[in-house]
Every structure is written in C-alpha cells, then in structure tokens.
Amino acid sequence: MKTKYSKYNLLLILIPVYFLIYFSINHLLEGHNLMHPYLLFYGEKALLALNGVPPRLENIGFIYPPLPIVISLLFMANISITQGFIASLISAFISWEIINNIQSKKLAITLIFFLIFSIPILFLATQRFDLYLHFFFIIYSIKLLYQYVRQEYSLYIFTAGPLFGLSFFTHFSSIYLIPWIFIIIFFLYRKTLRKFMAVSFVYFSPYFLFFLSFAYLNWVFTGKAFGFLPNYKLLFSNSEITAAISAGSITGSLWFMLSYLLKVILIIAPFLAGIFYEKRLVSLIPFLVIFSLIYSNLFYPAIYVSSIFIIYFLILMNFEKKEAHNVFIAAMVISLTSSFILALNSNDAYERKFTHALTGSIEENTGGYKQIAEILKYKKGKILIDDQGFYPVVYLMKDPERFILPYQYEFNSAIANPALFADYVIGMKDKNMDKVYRRFEYGVKGYYTIFENKDIIIWEKTKLRDKTS
C-alpha cells in the first residue's frame, strides 16, 4: 500500500515541476512579445464568455473545438496558466508511466530527458496545448484499446472510448480517424465478429455522443446542426499551397505525407526504431493521424506535427528488450539534434521564432497588438472592431465590455452608423479579413485618424477631440 501511494505522490511532484518549466518559458516569451496566435485566440474566446456583453458561454462560438476554451475558463481566461497546467498534466503523466513501467533507470532517465527537450514536444507544451491534448487523447485511447485486446480488462475499453471521444472537442479532424480505427479493430477481432461489434460500439459510442451533442447545440443556436464542420475547415484550412492541393485526394495525401515524413525522418527515428523491434497494427495510428490532417486540408507541414510519433513512442512502445535500449538512446539523440536544426528553419513562422527564441534571438509577434492596447487602455469609450483579426487586442486589453464585436447584435448597426455607438473605430488593412475596414476603407465620417501604419488604422470620434481640446 505504501508503494502504491508513493507512486501517486511522484505524480503530484512531477506536475508542479513541469508546470514551472512550461509556465516560465511561456512567461519569458510573453514578456518579449512572442505568443502563438492560438493561445491569444483561445484566451479571447474565454474572456468573452466570462466578461463579454453579455457574459455567456455561447460567446465562444459554435465553430471551434470548445475544450481548449472551456479549460481556459477554469483559469479565468489566463491562457498562460491554462497552457502550463494542461501541458504539465500530460508530460507528468507520461513521465510517471515511464518511471513506473521501465526497469532500466538509464533508459527511463533518457526518455524523460527526451520528453523535456524534444523541440516538437516543447513547442506543443508551451505554444499549442490544444494539439498536445489532442494527440495525447488519441494515442492513450489506442494504448488502452490495445491493452484491452491483450488482457480483456473492461476498464481499459470503457476508458479508451471517452478519451477518443474527447479528441473531437480538441480537433474536429479526428472524425476522419473513425473508419481507420474501425478497420484496425476489425483486424484485431476478425475471428470473432460479435466481439468486434461489441468493442466497436463501446469504443465509438462516446465519440458519436459528443459529436451529436455539439451538433444539437449548433442546431439550437445557429439553425444548422452540422454547419460547424465546413465553417471550421474554412477558418482553419491550410494555407500551404502544396498541402492544400493534396487535400481531398487519397493518392495526393499519401504522397504529401511521404514527402513530409522523409523531411522529419531523423526526428521520428525513435518511433521507427521501436516499430522495427515491435511490429503492431496500432503502429499505423500516427501515420493515419497525419494522413487525416492532410486529407481534410487541416495540415501544415511544420516540424511540431511530428510530435505524434514521439508521443506514440513514449506512451505505446514496449521497452522490455534490453538489447534495443542502446538503439533507442542513439535514436533519441539523433531526434533531439535534428529537431532543433530543422525547427530553426521551419516553414512555420511561429515554430521558427520559438526555436530562435530558445537561443536568445527573440523576434516578437504581438508588439503591434500591445501597442494598440496601450493606446486605447487609457482612453474612455466604446471600440468598434472585428476580432477575426484583432482577437489579440481584445485579449491583451482584458476589458471585453468596451468592444463592439461581430457576435453582438449592435455590430451591424454600429457599422452602419458608428457615431451613435462607438468612440473609436479600428481597421486592419485587409478587406477580405476585416469587416470594419471593408466598410471604412476611405475613412469614417465624424472621426479622425490617431494611429496608422501599413497594417492598422485607428479612428477617434471628432467630438472626443473637441472635448479634450
């Protein structure tokens, strides 16, 4: 009994250790005006749910996976704490399982070192907790499914189903995995059709329940039960031309996946070494995740996506063969080195900036938004703005009640006659993205410009200027 409690005590120790690591990195980068847009986006949506006009849960919208936003609500929309907490839970749990399941201390320490310093994992743990959570849900649900196949312990399958179901609430693309996992379960139970049907039902039922519940909410609030699927793809579709061309085609997606895997082959070396020693049908899952993202046009060929292979290696690989330990250690060294080098030259701007920041060369991306927030912070009055592009401003100001945003009923009236509603009007100089600038490209009657650069313009109501004159 003492040993059992000491195991859980270890987990409770690991969580704050990882939180300190991830939160410190995030806090340092945030202080130097470097934050991933997804963090700012989730933070803004949570802020609107807490303090929007009016404050209500539906302010987060119904076209985004809600779990990352709902989690940040628990931390009062403090996205840095949310990121650090969720990432630390995942990393601590993986480390805890490694320590408890691997007898070789040398290998266990190496694996934990690899988890901490692998650039793809570190990027997810500090910048994309939503994707880290998504990959963890999928891989750990597959582990439990595989354990059920081997041991027939009911708790495994009844836990695996809800975990996979939760992956829907972190990334809608997981719906494309259903037929592939269905086929895998079929081959695992092809000799007993009744068992195959029972396992499939238990595993997929939570996913369909979550999916239909979310569709029902969409139907109630928007009138379109499944409208979130095309809207989500429209908002988050891939901007990389080659990947976008490959989307929707099985052969095109396969070829693009192979070209991407060749690029990151050294990073996924531990996974490849693992499947060389232990060939299992479930080893196809990381490939299927990548393929599904490409096929659905939600894949960007960044280095951090290769973390799905690393997470699989750390969670699902069997390290019982002692003769393979040195091979695994060598593969992890190769992966650590290559991931850092490749991330320094990544196609993804934020991944590239993040990796350069780790070397001390910080290139900010939120400085312009902070400047706007500082300009408006000490001015009084309502602000007309389109948060499709200006969500960082809304989040950084931490005062959502001051904004007139597209989700509010008065937004269209304010666009038609801003003088009756807004004291300030902000436009992003992109008519395709910004509704406000589309309407006021040539200026706002009764307002004058107080700030302008190549991307942004801020107008202030003339009467306010007269009052302060």
Side-chain angles (χ1 to χ4, degrees):
M1 189 68 76
K2 184 178 179 181
T3 305
K4 181 180 178 181
Y5 284 124
S6 64
K7 287 183 179 180
Y8 290 110
N9 288 339
L10 176 62
L11 180 61
L12 294 176
I13 293 170
L14 287 169
I15 291 171
V17 170
Y18 275 109
F19 179 82
L20 186 62
I21 294 170
Y22 297 146
F23 181 78
S24 298
I25 292 173
N26 240 2
H27 186 69
L28 181 65
L29 296 179
E30 187 178 346
H32 286 84
N33 297 328
L34 182 61
M35 284 185 77
H36 197 281
Y38 273 53
L39 291 181
L40 295 165
F41 176 80
Y42 291 134
E44 188 239 12
K45 295 304 174 189
L47 198 64
L48 292 178
L50 287 172
N51 302 311
V53 182
R56 55 188 182 182
L57 193 60
E58 54 263 38
N59 290 353
I60 67 176
F62 292 97
I63 58 174
Y64 323 108
L67 190 57
I69 302 170
V70 171
I71 293 172
S72 61
L73 287 175
L74 301 176
F75 298 95
M76 304 304 293
N78 189 317
I79 202 64
S80 296
I81 292 178
T82 306
Q83 169 80 35
F85 180 75
I86 296 301
S88 64
L89 282 182
I90 298 170
S91 294
F93 185 78
I94 294 173
S95 300
W96 181 69
E97 286 222 320
I98 288 170
I99 293 168
N100 287 326
N101 297 328
I102 297 176
Q103 294 180 351
S104 170
K105 289 184 179 180
K106 177 184 176 183
L107 181 61
I109 291 170
T110 307
L111 287 166
I112 293 171
F113 184 88
F114 181 53
L115 172 65
I116 295 172
F117 292 101
S118 173
I119 293 298
I121 297 292
L122 189 61
F123 182 83
L124 295 193
T126 59
Q127 304 297 305
R128 288 293 306 275
F129 77 97
D130 59 312
L131 202 57
Y132 198 14
L133 194 59
H134 180 67
F135 287 165
F136 175 77
F137 281 151
I138 292 172
I139 296 301
Y140 205 77
S141 75
I142 293 298
K143 177 178 180 174
L144 292 172
L145 173 64
Y146 184 69
Q147 285 181 324
Y148 176 75
V149 172
R150 295 179 66 188
Q151 301 175 26
E152 294 286 326
Y153 184 39
S154 298
L155 180 63
Y156 291 145
I157 190 64
F158 281 103
T159 308
L163 278 179
F164 180 63
L166 286 171
S167 71
F168 169 75
F169 287 136
T170 53
H171 208 293
F172 295 151
S173 66
S174 59
I175 196 170
Y176 291 95
L177 289 174
I178 291 175
W180 298 113
I181 298 176
F182 187 79
I183 292 169
I184 288 174
I185 295 174
F186 172 76
F187 279 104
L188 291 172
Y189 286 103
R190 60 187 179 278
K191 294 180 180 179
T192 52
L193 184 61
R194 188 174 295 179
K195 188 74 172 178
F196 156 68
M197 295 302 294
V199 171
S200 298
F201 178 79
V202 174
Y203 187 80
F204 292 117
S205 289
Y207 194 100
F208 289 119
L209 177 64
F210 296 156
F211 176 83
L212 292 173
S213 299
F214 195 68
Y216 175 74
L217 287 174
N218 270 265
W219 176 69
V220 170
F221 288 101
T222 69
K224 296 179 180 179
F226 304 107
F228 64 94
L229 290 173
N231 287 330
Y232 176 73
K233 288 186 69 173
L234 186 66
L235 282 175
F236 296 94
S237 60
N238 179 38
S239 58
E240 209 275 336
I241 296 175
T242 312
I245 292 172
S246 303
S249 165
I250 292 176
T251 54
S253 298
L254 280 172
W255 278 113
F256 190 84
M257 180 180 73
L258 288 173
S259 67
Y260 172 76
L261 293 177
L262 284 173
K263 179 181 177 181
V264 299
I265 192 166
L266 294 178
I267 299 175
I268 66 173
F271 169 84
L272 296 176
I275 62 173
F276 176 79
Y277 285 102
E278 189 176 338
K279 298 172 180 65
R280 295 186 294 199
L281 190 60
V282 292
S283 300
L284 291 171
I285 288 297
F287 298 101
L288 295 173
V289 170
I290 299 293
F291 175 83
S292 299
L293 288 169
I294 297 170
Y295 186 82
S296 59
N297 198 26
L298 294 169
F299 178 81
Y300 193 88
I303 304 303
Y304 63 78
V305 185
S306 64
S307 60
I308 185 71
F309 293 93
I310 297 171
I311 294 169
Y312 179 98
F313 171 74
L314 293 169
I315 289 178
L316 252 164
M317 203 57 66
N318 191 332
F319 298 103
E320 291 178 358
K321 296 180 180 179
K322 292 183 179 180
E323 64 273 17
H325 287 187
N326 288 334
V327 175
F328 289 143
I329 292 171
M332 284 186 275
V333 172
I334 292 169
S335 179
L336 284 172
T337 307
S338 59
S339 68
F340 184 77
I341 294 170
L342 288 171
L344 282 172
N345 303 285
S346 173
N347 293 330
D348 184 85
Y350 301 103
E351 183 175 47
R352 190 170 61 248
K353 289 177 180 179
F354 171 79
T355 314
H356 279 281
L358 296 178
T359 67
S361 177
I362 299 178
E363 184 183 348
E364 65 179 37
N365 73 316
T366 61
Y369 297 119
K370 279 192 175 180
Q371 186 180 6
I372 296 170
E374 286 299 316
I375 290 172
L376 298 171
K377 189 176 182 180
Y378 300 103
K379 293 179 179 289
K380 295 180 180 180
K382 287 281 189 175
I383 304 163
L384 177 63
I385 194 171
D386 184 352
D387 65 341
Q388 182 178 342
F390 280 117
Y391 57 87
V393 174
V394 178
Y395 178 72
L396 293 169
M397 279 192 66
K398 300 288 194 298
D399 190 8
E401 293 180 356
R402 290 189 60 192
F403 292 94
I404 303 172
L405 302 170
Y407 81 89
Q408 294 171 287
Y409 295 117
E410 60 265 36
F411 181 80
N412 289 331
S413 299
I415 282 278
N417 196 345
L420 295 178
F421 296 87
D423 301 294
Y424 299 91
V425 178
I426 305 179
M428 182 176 287
K429 295 180 180 179
D430 183 347
K431 290 189 290 183
N432 295 322
M433 187 176 186
D434 193 283
K435 296 175 184 176
V436 173
Y437 187 72
R438 192 184 308 155
R439 173 70 174 79
F440 301 115
E441 181 182 1
Y442 302 106
V444 188
K445 186 177 180 181
Y447 290 73
Y448 72 101
T449 303
I450 61 169
F451 175 84
E452 184 175 10
N453 60 24
K454 62 183 180 68
D455 300 313
I456 298 164
I457 185 167
I458 303 176
W459 294 282
E460 183 181 286
K461 192 186 292 185
T462 305
K463 288 182 180 179
L464 289 177
R465 187 182 189 186
D466 295 338
K467 287 179 182 179
T468 55
S469 300

